[in-house]
Each structure stands twice: as C-alpha cells, then as structure tokens.
Amino acid sequence: MAASVQLALEQLKMNGVRMTPQRHAILSYLMDSKSHPTADEIYKALSPAFPSMSVATIYNNLRLFVEAGLVRELTYGDDSSRFDADLSDHYHAICKSCGQIVDFGYPPLLEVEKAASKETGFTVQGHRMEIYGLCSSCNTTAK
Amino acid sequence: MAASVQLALEQLKMNGVRMTPQRHAILSYLMDSKSHPTADEIYKALSPAFPSMSVATIYNNLRLFVEAGLVRELTYGDDSSRFDADLSDHYHAICKSCGQIVDFGYPPLLEVEKAASKETGFTVQGHRMEIYGLCSSCNTTAK
DNA sequence: ACGTACAATAGTAATAACTACTATGAAGAA
DNA sequence: TTCTTCATAGTAGTTATTACTATTGTACGT
C-alpha cells in the first residue's frame, strides 16, 4: 500500500508536482481506505495529524489526483462527491438506506459501449455503472 | 404528449396534489423536451410565460414529480442535477466536451444486478449506467 | 549545507445549487 | 360563494466547492 503511494508521488514529481506531507497523507488515506470517503471525511480524518490543514488543500489535491488519473471521483446523488483510489476494474453497490458503498467485481460492459457507440455515433471513452438497493444489514433491520 | 401530462396530473390529484398552471407548465416542458434540462434551464425557459415564477417553485415541483415517480433525477458530475421525464427503459450517453446527453436503448442489465446481489448480499432495487465519450459533432470539430 | 525560485498551503471570501421559511394567493370541495 | 388547505413568490439560509492572496516550504542547483 505505502509502496504504491510512493510510486504515485514519484510519477507526479515528473510533472513538477512536489511532495508535501499533506499531499502524502491525503493520498495514503485514500489508498488505505475502502470506504470511498468524501472531501469532508478526509478533512476530519486528517485533522488530528494536521490541525492547521485547510479544506482548500483537500480539494486542491483531490482535483490534482483526479486529473492525474490516480483517483476517481464519484458523484452519488444528493450530497457531496466521493473519491476512490482503487483503480482496478470494479463497480459499486450503493445502499439507499445507509449510503454505504460496497465494491463488486464484474467484467467490463464493453458490449454496451459498443452498442451505444453504434446507436449514438459517440466515440466512447468509458462508462459508469452502479447498483442501488439495500445492503444486507439494512435489509434485516428495516422492514 | 399533452394527454400524458393530463394523465400524470390526474394521478397526482388522487394524492391531494393540486393542478396549478406552473406545475402543468413544468411537467409539460419536461415531457416535451428531450434535452434533460436542469432546474435553471426550466426556470429560464418558463420565465417568459411566468415572469413571476420563483425558482423555489421549480425545485418544489421537481421534487414532487421525482417522489411521485413521474420524473427521474440525473446527477451527472460537476454541475447541477438534470431531469428526465422519459420513463421508458433507456440509458444515456454523455459528451465530455459539450455536455450533451443522448438517449440510447439497450436491454436492462439484469445479469449485473443478479451478480451484484450475489456478491454483495444487497437486495437490488435498480441500477444506473451511463456512457461517456465524445458526441459525433464534437468528435469532428475538436482535434 | 545554502540560497533561490516557484509551487503549495492556510485562511478566508466568493460562488452556485439547492432548501427552509413565511405571508399571500389560488384550487377545489361543500 | 365560501372555506380549507395546499401552492406560490420572495427571500434568507445552508452546504459543497472554488477563487484569491499572502506566506510557507520543497527541491534543485551550487
């Protein structure tokens, strides 16, 4: 885990991006976390270690990571963006009750991309797919 | 088209929802439009006919329609929500350059829902899928 | 090690989408 | 027509995110 953070930062350094403690902390947190945190959650999580860190720094770095292709931004419905540093092929299942996001694997939907390209004339670059429902714990708790 | 607006409003009336000119106009506009407008676009489009209409009214009614299942809310990335009154089974292709949203048909991805349910333990209620890329006109214009 | 250049940070102000609130006005039943 | 109640307009408030600027810190060259 920590190794790939180093690797990612090396890769950034090539483009004139400097390595700062804050940047390192944000990326590490994202890569270690499986919970697809929001900017605010990252802010709160790192506040103890960086009491003077600004929210703007979080946003700046998240945007940087997204532009560098190290992190993916998820815009799920009503509230704030979530961020995912897991670049492997996977999709998300989102609980409508508790908001939890769970990863699941499935072969990429290339068929759909092809069909869409044919029907719309688009040059397809990618797609996004999510499953909505109730997670197992919400399912047993709620009626 | 106009007939189904009437039908929809009849259906709403059963739940104590009144039929107002503004409400009618918003729903008609949505049902006639194929462009998946934002709240602000609807506001601007109806302003000539309803110069005194409030943005709050737009949002109130959109929420009402969404809760009644007459309209679907699309949260595409950075900017504001878009709304779609086409309830038939279809997906969206979104141009990364101009932001245009084009409908395309494809059989519902029930296989994925089943697989996700099996892997995550979710009770699946639905899914969302979009294709991202360049529309045909942006593709020829841009390099 | 030291100095320098320039990117990054902190802090705050600004923006934008959306929601909450309240007094007035209109739908629709009796 | 009259009354009840929901809807609207207008505005103030909230929240996520961005813009801006002075200061700080990184990393490269020496």
Side-chain angles (χ1 to χ4, degrees):
Chain A
M1 291 292 155
S4 59
V5 174
Q6 290 300 339
L7 209 67
L9 288 173
E10 288 299 322
Q11 177 190 327
L12 286 172
K13 205 184 282 183
M14 310 263 186
N15 294 8
V17 174
R18 291 175 184 170
M19 134 102 121
T20 68
Q22 294 90 335
R23 187 163 287 161
H24 187 281
I26 296 169
L27 192 55
S28 305
Y29 181 77
L30 264 176
M31 286 184 153
D32 286 346
S33 146
K34 295 196 177 297
S35 64
H36 315 86
T38 63
D40 195 57
E41 282 166 8
I42 299 172
Y43 179 62
K44 287 200 173 69
L46 299 183
S47 278
F50 298 85
S52 70
M53 185 163 54
S54 165
V55 259
T57 299
I58 304 276
Y59 281 104
N60 282 339
N61 283 304
L62 287 174
R63 184 169 33 179
L64 186 82
F65 297 151
V66 169
E67 280 167 5
L70 291 171
V71 166
R72 240 172 271 165
E73 182 173 1
L74 314 172
T75 53
Y76 158 46
D78 314 345
D79 50 356
S80 34
S81 284
R82 298 184 163 274
F83 296 87
D84 186 359
D86 182 352
L87 295 177
S88 70
D89 269 334
H90 69 281
Y91 294 107
H92 295 124
I94 299 165
C95 178
K96 280 190 175 176
S97 172
C98 69
Q100 183 190 187
I101 301 179
V102 177
D103 294 348
F104 73 93
Y106 196 84
L109 300 163
L110 301 178
E111 288 305 316
V112 188
E113 291 196 356
K114 242 184 278 179
S117 170
K118 203 168 179 180
E119 186 170 339
T120 62
F122 268 53
T123 303
V124 176
Q125 295 173 335
H127 66 272
R128 159 184 173 163
M129 205 261 308
E130 291 136 16
I131 296 291
Y132 292 91
L134 295 175
C135 72
S136 45
S137 60
C138 284
N139 204 23
T140 51
T141 308
K143 178 25 283 292
Chain B
M1 290 288 154
S4 60
V5 175
Q6 290 301 338
L7 209 68
L9 288 173
E10 287 302 322
Q11 178 189 327
L12 285 171
K13 204 185 281 182
M14 309 262 184
N15 293 9
V17 175
R18 292 176 184 167
M19 133 101 121
T20 68
Q22 294 89 334
R23 187 163 287 161
H24 187 279
I26 295 170
L27 192 54
S28 305
Y29 182 77
L30 264 176
M31 285 184 154
D32 287 345
S33 147
K34 294 195 175 300
S35 65
H36 316 85
T38 63
D40 195 57
E41 283 166 6
I42 299 172
Y43 179 62
K44 288 201 173 69
L46 299 183
S47 279
F50 298 85
S52 70
M53 184 162 54
S54 165
V55 260
T57 299
I58 304 277
Y59 282 105
N60 283 338
N61 282 303
L62 286 174
R63 185 169 32 180
L64 186 83
F65 297 150
V66 170
E67 279 167 6
L70 291 171
V71 166
R72 238 172 271 165
E73 183 175 0
L74 314 171
T75 52
Y76 157 48
D78 314 346
D79 50 356
S80 32
S81 283
R82 299 183 162 275
F83 296 88
D84 185 0
D86 182 353
L87 294 177
S88 70
D89 268 333
H90 69 281
Y91 293 106
H92 295 124
I94 299 164
C95 178
K96 281 191 178 178
S97 172
C98 69
Q100 184 190 187
I101 302 180
V102 177
D103 294 348
F104 73 94
Y106 196 84
L109 301 162
L110 302 177
E111 287 305 316
V112 187
E113 292 196 356
K114 240 186 278 179
S117 170
K118 203 168 180 180
E119 186 171 339
T120 62
F122 268 54
T123 302
V124 175
Q125 296 172 336
H127 67 272
R128 159 185 174 162
M129 205 260 309
E130 291 137 16
I131 296 291
Y132 293 90
L134 295 176
C135 72
S136 45
S137 59
C138 284
N139 204 21
T140 51
T141 309
K143 198 342 323 272

